[in-house]
């Protein structure tokens, strides 16, 4: 059966299938290769998938809810069934890429098919590695291909895939009916399309052989009844090259052949074609292939005949019985031969054993000789000369030359003890004995070295502790350096490296001995250093916090009680402040470069002294800054020395140290080093530093607490010093100092925040107990406080202290402004409460603005602008208020006139009942020049009383000038309204502008 267009059977053999030809030419035309394939059949399919731009919609014929369901179909493909030369059948999914070009997309073997499901007339699903849903053009094409596929599966697979909704007999019936309907009337040129190999395809209703025999007998009977020529007469047309004689098949069947020119009976030819079709043979195939297929069937029949003959002959049993006896005798002979072979094998094994023993003795002798030589070389390599052991045992550690000899000897014994040996070699008694001996000498030397260094450290520390020349006193505040210790012990650095490798326990003990002894020195020095500094060189107030920088102090209260001169002196220019308060600044680091002279000569370069005279006092923050700079420098140098002494920055062996000793310089000890230690070494070094300087953090905290107790504002200066020092060590390996400074910084921040909260509390309390007149106490203190803070910052705007101080400014100024407003509203010291409120705001806001502007505190610019605007607003309100009281009737009258002018013409105002000419004349007559002059004199005394504060003397002149300007402005307004609204009245103000200016000039002269 061949597939026609769309995969169905060919209706007529006259027209070749162009698609099949194109498929064969494009994909299956190479017959020379061993992997060549022959196309059995093909079918055109559409694969169901999700909708995309390359798919089309095909109706499925089902309806749901009145709407026809559709499936998305891809472009057409061709499913081709092929057979290889070895009989393997495969399926290919082929894509058409051009008019005559094809490409194989997927290939599957038959055993990859898991299941086949018949969905409906044109749709079917095959599960291979995943489900494939395919649709064909017609139902007949699908049935033909499925039938062919099932026959191939049955003949090639032991186990068929799962079949769902597939009726195999029905498919066969449909195929036969379709084939019978397509057969045309017989003629000489009619041919049946080629079918697959009958040896691999079985009929759906029985085996192929039974069908072949049944149909062959039926066709033979038909040909006999029709008296037609024998089927054998057609042999020349079936088998090519048989014209000269009969084929083997024809000889066995006794059939005759006819010449090609002999006419054939049409009925016989039709019967022959029907016979070939019933046997699934194609007459269109070439004669050689047809003959081959028929010969295969004939061989199968002959084998069946031979087997039948054998089964029917009784003599066969006798032959089989004799054969069995012969086989038994042969088995006996084989057993005897096996026994003989075993004996020979045993003898051969003995011979080979003897030969191998001889070879083994020879090899053993050779190996023993080689082993002896290796042992001699090993003993030589692990043998240490006696002079090395004697050096470790007796060489002195007092001289530098002896130390160098000991380093070489220690390196030799270390190389032997730390050498890597095989497990077998290390287990040898000779090796173990040597290692135990050398380990004993190594342990003895490690103990001797550790004891010597411990004694020397204790002796050196005791010497410095008993040195009376290293005692501090007034004017002599020094942190001593210990260069003799540094120079002496650095000589043993190589041996300390050896000790770390060979005896880690003694190495750790040596570290603790070193830091504990130096702790005795530094604890004494640090305590004495801070004690002398705090006792003799720190300026202290008579009463704690009794300064003009603290809101809750009594400083300003005492000045006010002593009188105005004392107050003015305290509020003099900022330059005068430095003469009274010792808060000068110095460059701390520059002091380290000066030559330090002790009582008996020049001190060591590593010593550090505070540059202060015997009677000189320093502010707390300045003293703290210099002290912090010195002690952190000393601690950093000590950490660098310990890192070099114990070689913590780089792990190395004794041999590496001798070959390339790490550099060391006393000058480099003061330099900042980048972090190069691993985490474990860094933690160890920080721990050792914490032990050595365990009193440093305590002394710094106590000094800071005592300074804040005396003057709280000093915490800001100390905080700034800590932040500057933190910057210096930020990127270094000084983890101990970084941690200590961070803790100290946190403590000082808490102190400052507590200080700010206390100042806020003082301001709140001052609201209730302050006299409601003049500049409020906190307004007088804040400019000084701000100046002090800015002086402490000294241009360090990029540190955290700037943020803290700016935040404190914000809190304090807001509280002061709120308190000022509250005091102004609650004032009872003025006849007019509203005027009193204005006076308090004017004085305090003017003082705040002018004092901060004078001190150039730029960080408070926004609050200064607010204070200035508040001052101007209250001053304007105050001036308007006092002027209104003096010119009340005039103001009321002309305010009414001005209101009428806005709603009607100026000429109509004179006719208004309330504002006619008589009313104007009456109100003007009430303010003669003499009355105005007297009223202004009285007004000046009143304003002078309001602004009698000596702190704000200039406000009286500013206010009086504002009143004068307001009088002039109102006089001009009155005169203008009279001219505009009463032009014919012949009236004017009782006092002229010149008289008014004369009154103000006279009052000013009388009071100056």
């Amino acid at each position: 059966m061949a597939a026609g267009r769309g995969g169905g059977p060919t209706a007529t053999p006259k027209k070749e299938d162009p698609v099949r030809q194109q498929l064969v030419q494009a994909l299956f035309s190479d017959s020379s290769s061993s992997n060549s394939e022959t196309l059995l059949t093909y079918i055109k399919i559409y694969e169901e998938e999700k909708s995309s731009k390359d798919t089309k919609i095909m109706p499925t014929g089902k309806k749901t809810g009145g709407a026809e369901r559709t499936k998305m179909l891809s472009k057409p493909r061709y499913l081709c069934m092929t057979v290889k030369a070895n009989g393997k059948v495969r399926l290919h999914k082929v894509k058409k890429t051009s008019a005559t070009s094809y490409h194989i997309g997927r290939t599957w073997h038959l055993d990859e098919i898991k299941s086949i499901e018949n969905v409906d007339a044109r749709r079917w699903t095959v599960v291979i590695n995943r489900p494939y849903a395919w649709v064909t053009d017609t139902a007949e094409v699908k049935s033909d291909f499925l039938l062919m596929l099932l026959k191939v599966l049955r003949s090639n697979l032991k186990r068929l895939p799962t079949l769902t909704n597939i009726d195999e007999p029905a498919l066969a019936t449909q195929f036969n009916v379709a084939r019978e309907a397509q057969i045309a009337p017989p003629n000489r040129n009619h041919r049946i399309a080629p079918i697959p190999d009958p040896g691999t395809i079985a009929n759906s209703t029985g085996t192929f052989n039974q069908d072949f025999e049944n149909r062959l007998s039926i066709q033979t009977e038909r040909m006999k009844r029709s008296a037609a020529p024998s089927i054998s007469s057609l042999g020349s047309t079936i088998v090519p090259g048989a014209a000269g004689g009969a084929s083997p098949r024809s000889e066995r069947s006794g059939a005759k052949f006819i010449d090609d020119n002999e006419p054939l009976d049409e009925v016989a030819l039709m019967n022959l074609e029907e016979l070939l079709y019933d046997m699934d043979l194609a007459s269109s195939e070439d004669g050689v292939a047809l003959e081959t297929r028929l010969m295969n069937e004939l061989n199968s029949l002959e084998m069946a005949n031979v087997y039948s003959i054998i089964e029917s002959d009784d003599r066969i049993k006798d032959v089989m019985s004799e054969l069995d006896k012969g086989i038994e005798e042969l088995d006996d002979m084989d057993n005897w031969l096996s026994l003989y072979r075993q004996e020979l094998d045993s003898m051969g094994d003995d011979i080979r054993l003897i030969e191998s023993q001889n070879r083994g003795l020879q090899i053993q002798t050779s190996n023993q000789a080689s082993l002896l030589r290796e042992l001699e070389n090993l003993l030589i390599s692990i043998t240490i000369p006696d002079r090395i052991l004697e050096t470790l045992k007796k060489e002195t550690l007092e001289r530098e030359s002896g130390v160098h000899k000991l380093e070489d000897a220690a390196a030799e014994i270390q190389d032997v003890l730390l050498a890597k040996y095989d497990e077998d070699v290390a287990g040898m008694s000779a090796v173990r004995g040597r290692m135990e001996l050398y380990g004993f000498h190594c342990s003895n030397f490690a103990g001797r070295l550790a004891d010597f260094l411990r004694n020397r450290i204790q002796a050196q520390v005791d010497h410095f502790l008993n040195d009376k020349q290293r005692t501090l006193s007034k004017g002599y505040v020094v942190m001593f350096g210990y260069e003799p210790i540094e120079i002496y012990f650095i000589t043993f650095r190589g041996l300390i490296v050896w000790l770390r490798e060979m005896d880690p326990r003694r190495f750790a003990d040596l570290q603790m001995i070193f830091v504990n002894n130096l702790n005795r020195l530094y604890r004494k020095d640090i305590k004495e250093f801070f004690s002398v500094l705090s006792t003799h060189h720190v300026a202290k107030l008579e009463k704690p916090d009794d300064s003009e920088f603290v809101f809750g102090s009594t400083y300003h209260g005492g000045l006010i009680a002593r009188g105005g001169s004392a107050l003015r002196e305290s509020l003099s220019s900022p330059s005068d402040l430095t003469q009274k308060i010792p808060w000068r600044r110095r460059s701390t680091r520059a002091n380290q470069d000066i030559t330090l002279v002790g009582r008996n000569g020049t001190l060591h370069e590593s010593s550090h002294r505070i540059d202060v005279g015997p009677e000189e006092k320093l502010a707390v923050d300045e003293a703290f800054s210099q002290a912090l700079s010195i002690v952190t420098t000393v601690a950093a140098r000590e950490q660098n020395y310990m890192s070099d002494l114990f070689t913590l920055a780089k792990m190395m062996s004794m041999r590496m140290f001798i070959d390339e000793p790490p550099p060391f310089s006393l000058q480099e000890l003061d330099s900042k080093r980048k972090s190069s230690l691993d985490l474990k070494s860094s933690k160890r070094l920080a721990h050792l530093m914490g032990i050595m300087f365990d009193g440093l953090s305590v002394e710094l905290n106590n000094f800071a607490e005592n300074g804040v107790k005396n003057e709280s504002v000093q915490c800001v200066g100390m905080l700034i010093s800590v932040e500057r020092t933190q910057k210096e060590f930020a990127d270094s390996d000084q983890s101990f100092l970084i941690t200590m400074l961070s803790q100290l910084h946190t403590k000082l921040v808490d102190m400052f925040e507590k200080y700010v909260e206390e100042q806020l509390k003082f301001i709140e309390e001052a609201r209730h107990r302050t006299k409601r007149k003049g500049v409020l106490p906190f307004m007088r203190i804040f400019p000084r406080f701000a100046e002090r803070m800015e002086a402490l910052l000294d241009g360090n705007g990029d540190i955290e202290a700037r943020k803290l101080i700016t935040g404190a400014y914000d809190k304090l100024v807001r509280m002061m402004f709120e308190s000022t407003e509250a005091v102004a509203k609650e004032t009872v010291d003025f006849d007019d409460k509203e005027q009193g409120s204005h006076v308090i705001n004017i004085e305090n806001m003017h003082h705040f603005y002018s004092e901060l502007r004078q001190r150039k505190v730029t960080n408070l610019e926004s609050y200064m602008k607010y204070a200035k605007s508040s001052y101007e607003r209250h001053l304007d309100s105050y001036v308007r208020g006092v002027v209104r009281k003096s010119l009340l009737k005039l103001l009321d009258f002309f305010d009414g006139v001005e209101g009428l002018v806005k709603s009607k013409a100026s000429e109509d105002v004179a006719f208004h009942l309330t504002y006619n000419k008589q009313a104007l004349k009456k109100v003007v007559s009430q303010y003669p020049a003499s009355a105005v002059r007297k009223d202004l004199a009285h007004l000046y005394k009143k304003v002078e009383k309001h602004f009698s504060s000596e702190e704000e003397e200039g406000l009286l002149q500013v206010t009086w000038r504002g009143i004068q300007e307001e009088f002039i402005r109102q006089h001009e307004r009155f005169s203008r309204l009279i001219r505009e609204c009463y032009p014919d009245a012949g009236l004017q103000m009782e006092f002229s502008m010149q008289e008014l200016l004369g009154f103000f000039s006279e009052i000013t002269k009388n009071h100056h």
Side-chain angles (χ1 to χ4, degrees), residues 327-498:
I327 291 171
E328 290 177 358
E329 292 178 357
L330 290 174
D331 291 339
D332 291 339
M333 294 175 66
D334 183 65
N335 291 334
W336 282 106
L337 291 173
S338 297
L339 291 174
Y340 182 67
R341 186 168 54 253
Q342 291 177 1
E343 291 296 330
L344 292 177
D345 292 342
S346 177
M347 294 176 65
D349 293 339
D350 293 339
I351 293 172
R352 286 189 292 273
L353 177 61
I354 293 171
E355 292 177 348
S356 65
Q357 288 177 348
N358 289 335
R359 288 193 298 270
L361 290 174
Q362 295 175 358
I363 294 172
Q364 183 178 3
T365 303
S366 177
N367 289 341
Q368 287 177 349
S370 299
L371 178 61
L372 182 60
R373 289 192 298 272
E374 291 294 330
L375 287 176
E376 290 176 352
N377 294 332
L378 175 63
L379 290 176
I380 292 173
S381 65
I382 65 174
T383 300
I384 299 176
D386 292 339
R387 61 179 179 81
I388 298 294
L389 299 179
E390 286 297 317
T391 298
L392 292 176
K393 186 176 181 180
K394 297 181 179 180
E395 185 63 45
T396 180
L397 288 165
E398 297 288 347
R399 293 188 300 272
E400 187 174 351
S401 60
V403 172
H404 291 325
K405 291 180 181 179
L406 286 171
E407 287 179 352
D408 295 334
E412 290 286 342
I413 197 170
Q414 183 185 39
D415 292 340
V416 173
L417 290 175
L418 298 183
K420 301 294 182 182
Y421 301 104
D422 294 337
E423 185 178 354
D424 296 334
V425 174
M428 296 173 62
S429 59
V431 175
R432 289 201 309 271
R434 291 293 178 93
M435 292 300 170
E436 290 175 359
L437 175 62
Y438 298 153
F440 172 76
H441 286 287
C442 178
S443 178
N444 287 342
F445 175 68
R448 185 164 78 96
L449 175 64
D451 292 341
F452 174 81
L453 292 177
R454 180 179 63 252
N455 294 333
R456 297 309 301 166
I457 292 171
Q458 292 176 350
Q460 292 270 6
V461 171
D462 291 340
H463 168 72
F464 284 111
L465 286 175
N466 296 325
D467 186 1
K468 301 301 183 182
Q469 300 297 325
R470 299 172 71 91
T471 303
L472 305 185
S473 61
K474 183 188 298 187
Y476 186 69
V477 187
V478 182
M479 274 295 295
F480 295 103
Y482 296 98
E483 288 184 18
I485 294 179
E486 296 171 352
I487 296 173
Y488 181 80
F489 284 100
I490 203 65
T491 308
F492 301 94
R493 181 167 53 155
L495 293 178
I496 292 174
V497 169
W498 178 87

Side-chain angles (χ1 to χ4, degrees), residues 2-15:
R5 181 173 298 178
T10 305
T12 172
K14 293 180 181 181
K15 186 178 180 181

Side-chain angles (χ1 to χ4, degrees), residues 176-406:
N176 291 332
V177 171
R179 176 54 66 91
E180 293 292 342
Q182 294 175 2
I183 295 177
N187 55 64
R188 299 182 65 90
N189 297 324
H190 186 269
R191 295 290 185 270
I192 303 298
I195 65 174
D197 185 7
T200 61
I201 303 177
N203 189 276
S204 61
T205 59
T207 65
F208 183 87
N209 292 334
Q210 293 174 348
D211 185 55
F212 178 81
E213 293 174 356
N214 293 336
R215 298 189 180 192
L216 180 60
S217 61
I218 293 172
Q219 292 295 338
T220 304
E221 292 297 329
R222 289 179 179 175
M223 295 174 65
K224 288 180 179 180
R225 287 197 298 271
S226 62
S230 174
I231 188 172
S232 60
S233 63
L234 302 176
S236 61
T237 64
I238 299 175
V239 182
S247 67
R249 176 68 181 271
S250 63
E251 291 176 0
R252 284 190 295 270
S253 61
K256 296 181 179 180
F257 288 88
I258 63 175
D259 296 334
D260 292 340
N261 297 327
E262 183 178 352
L264 296 176
D265 185 79
E266 292 185 357
V267 176
L269 185 60
M270 180 184 68
N271 292 336
L272 177 59
E273 290 181 347
E274 183 178 357
L275 175 63
L276 292 175
Y277 174 75
D278 291 340
M279 292 188 297
D280 287 342
L281 298 176
S283 63
S284 63
E285 293 183 346
D286 59 89
V288 176
L290 182 59
E291 180 186 13
T292 301
R293 297 179 67 181
L294 292 176
M295 287 301 295
N296 290 336
E297 294 300 327
L298 180 60
N299 290 335
S300 298
L301 291 175
E302 287 177 349
M303 290 175 63
N305 289 336
V306 171
Y307 183 77
S308 177
I309 292 171
I310 291 173
E311 289 293 330
S312 63
D313 194 341
D314 296 336
R315 290 176 295 176
I316 297 300
K317 296 181 179 179
D318 296 334
V319 174
M320 296 300 295
S321 177
E322 294 299 327
L323 288 174
D324 291 339
K325 291 179 180 179
I327 291 171
E328 290 177 358
E329 292 178 357
L330 290 174
D331 291 339
D332 291 339
M333 294 175 66
D334 183 65
N335 291 334
W336 282 106
L337 291 173
S338 297
L339 291 174
Y340 182 67
R341 186 168 54 253
Q342 291 177 1
E343 291 296 330
L344 292 177
D345 292 342
S346 177
M347 294 176 65
D349 293 339
D350 293 339
I351 293 172
R352 286 189 292 273
L353 177 61
I354 293 171
E355 292 177 348
S356 65
Q357 288 177 348
N358 289 335
R359 288 193 298 270
L361 290 174
Q362 295 175 358
I363 294 172
Q364 183 178 3
T365 303
S366 177
N367 289 341
Q368 287 177 349
S370 299
L371 178 61
L372 182 60
R373 289 192 298 272
E374 291 294 330
L375 287 176
E376 290 176 352
N377 294 332
L378 175 63
L379 290 176
I380 292 173
S381 65
I382 65 174
T383 300
I384 299 176
D386 292 339
R387 61 179 179 81
I388 298 294
L389 299 179
E390 286 297 317
T391 298
L392 292 176
K393 186 176 181 180
K394 297 181 179 180
E395 185 63 45
T396 180
L397 288 165
E398 297 288 347
R399 293 188 300 272
E400 187 174 351
S401 60
V403 172
H404 291 325
K405 291 180 181 179
L406 286 171

Side-chain angles (χ1 to χ4, degrees), residues 824 827 830 832-841 878 946:
T827 182
F830 295 88
D832 190 326
K833 190 174 183 180
E834 183 179 358
Q835 287 184 354
S837 175
H838 291 318
V839 170
I840 291 176
N841 277 290
Y878 175 82
H946 288 169

